[in-house]
């Protein structure tokens, strides 16, 4: 049975109304990466970082999954082989679109993490630098997301899945952030077929055997239909 690994990025949630990072008008044109997406930025100004993630958490709660999220949930249910959905996204639109086994390699807007003791819990709608950790009471709480210089989550699941994949598909990701940006090349070297589904060619488009360009809500359901009817 064909083993499929799917990697998704901000582009799959764009048509739901969530901003991407590197497109024109994207999050990195409005916020400095080093201020809001590094441990050093958080140490300098935790309030600014909490405000950035509080606003994104509120936005993510207001929007709905689109046809691309729903199509991947259908693939997960109906494909007779294994399907692993790895997302770099911190929203929960895959789950709300019906997917069950989603691996959030860059964490989640809906999680809180204590920098002092490592305890994790469900994030309140608004987080604040003075919030005490429910386990150790330290005022050291942060969003449970993976910033630059930190190790992504789930590597112990991701690495073996990439090694065993027959088909690797990247959806809505620009191919600028590692380790995710290296996955297509890695899988292809091990003999998997690689497919890019993105609005435009990504930075690593040469690592893909097949490329389809267009909005995710159109090209992902069409691709899923083809896979399930093959
Ligand atoms: C559509 C669409 C539509 C639009 N339909 N498509 C030098 C060389 C190599 C690596 C490094 C280096 N220096 C440092 C590094 C490592 C560093 C890194 O990659 N830096 C690069 C900038 C070079 N990486 C790290 O530090 C990572 N950790 C790490 O490497 O640890 C070491 C280690 C790894 C493994 C094992 C052991 C050790 C951590 C990276 C953390 C990234 N964090 C962020 C922010 C936190 C989460 C959040 O706030 O949301 O994660 S950055 C940001 O970028 C976010 C995203 O998940 C990530 C990827 O962005 P994505 O999803 O690709 O979005 P965009 O906007 O870039 O692209 C959107 C795409 O969609 C575009 O192509 C559009 O065309 C398309 N699109 N509309 C279809 N409708």
């Amino acid at each position: 049975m064909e083993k499929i690994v799917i990697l998704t990025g901000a582009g799959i949630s764009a048509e739901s109304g969530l901003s991407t990072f590197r497109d024109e008008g994207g999050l990195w044109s409005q916020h400095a990466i080093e201020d809001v997406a590094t441990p050093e930025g958080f140490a300098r100004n935790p309030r600014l970082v909490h405000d950035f993630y509080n606003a994104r958490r509120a936005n993510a709660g207001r929007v709905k999954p689109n046809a691309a999220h729903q199509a991947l949930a259908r693939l997960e249910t109906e494909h007779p082989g294994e399907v692993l959905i790895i997302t770099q996204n911190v929203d929960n639109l895959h789950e709300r679109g019906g997917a069950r086994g989603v691996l959030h390699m860059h964490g989640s807007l809906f999680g809180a993490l204590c920098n002092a003791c490592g305890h994790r819990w469900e994030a309140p709608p608004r987080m604040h630098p003075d919030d005490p950790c429910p386990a150790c009471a330290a005022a050291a709480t942060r969003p449970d997301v993976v910033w630059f210089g930190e190790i992504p989550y789930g590597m112990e699941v991701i690495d073996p899945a990439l090694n065993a994949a027959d088909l690797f598909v990247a959806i809505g990701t620009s191919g600028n952030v590692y380790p995710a940006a290296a996955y297509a090349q890695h899988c292809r070297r091990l003999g998997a077929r690689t497919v890019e589904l993105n609005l435009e060619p990504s930075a690593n488009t040469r690592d893909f055997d097949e490329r389809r360009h267009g909005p995710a809500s159109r090209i992902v359901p069409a691709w899923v239909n083809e896979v399930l009817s093959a």
Side-chain angles (χ1 to χ4, degrees):
M1 287 295 167
E2 189 178 50
K3 292 181 178 155
I4 305 177
V5 175
I6 312 264
L7 172 72
T8 68
I12 196 168
S13 298
E15 290 162 84
S16 291
L18 297 182
S19 294
T20 62
F21 295 92
R22 296 169 184 82
D23 292 311
E24 204 179 324
L27 290 168
W28 294 161
S29 67
Q30 299 156 39
H31 306 271
I33 295 180
E34 57 275 17
D35 287 343
V36 297
T38 63
E40 296 78 15
F42 183 68
R44 273 196 306 273
N45 192 344
R47 175 157 222 149
L48 175 85
V49 178
H50 276 305
D51 284 347
F52 174 67
Y53 283 99
N54 286 340
R56 289 178 59 202
R57 189 178 303 113
N59 272 344
R62 279 193 281 265
V63 303
K64 292 195 171 70
N66 64 53
H69 299 102
Q70 287 157 352
L72 292 185
R74 183 173 159 235
L75 180 72
E76 191 190 39
T77 306
E78 296 182 17
H79 177 65
E82 288 171 31
V83 176
L84 175 64
I85 301 172
I86 303 168
T87 188
Q88 298 168 88
N89 297 343
V90 295
D91 65 55
N92 58 4
L93 293 179
H94 281 300
E95 289 85 348
R96 287 167 57 205
R100 290 168 313 222
V102 182
L103 196 159
H104 283 265
M105 67 180 292
H106 290 165
S108 166
L109 281 172
F110 302 96
L113 167 66
C114 176
N115 252 342
C117 73
H119 181 65
R120 290 193 161 80
W121 68 100
E122 190 180 329
R126 292 193 59 77
M127 293 180 70
H128 186 273
D130 296 334
D131 292 343
C133 165
C136 75
T141 65
R142 56 169 280 182
D144 192 7
V145 300
V146 177
W147 290 321
F148 285 106
E150 298 183 320
I151 298 179
Y153 290 135
M155 302 309 297
E156 68 292 349
V157 174
I158 294 174
D159 287 342
L162 295 173
N163 292 343
D166 300 301
L167 175 60
F168 174 84
V169 187
I171 302 172
T173 178
S174 64
N176 281 300
V177 176
Y178 291 83
Y183 291 169
Q185 187 186 57
H186 177 83
C187 289
R188 196 186 208 187
R189 280 192 180 143
L190 293 179
R193 200 162 70 80
T194 56
V195 178
E196 171 177 82
L197 304 177
N198 205 45
L199 195 58
E200 59 192 6
S202 65
N204 57 343
T205 193
R206 67 187 175 284
D207 296 330
F208 295 92
D209 299 310
E210 184 185 341
R211 306 169 186 99
R212 299 186 187 187
H213 297 139
S217 67
R218 179 168 59 77
I219 63 176
V220 175
W223 174 79
V224 167
N225 281 339
E226 284 175 34
V227 171
L228 291 178
S229 57

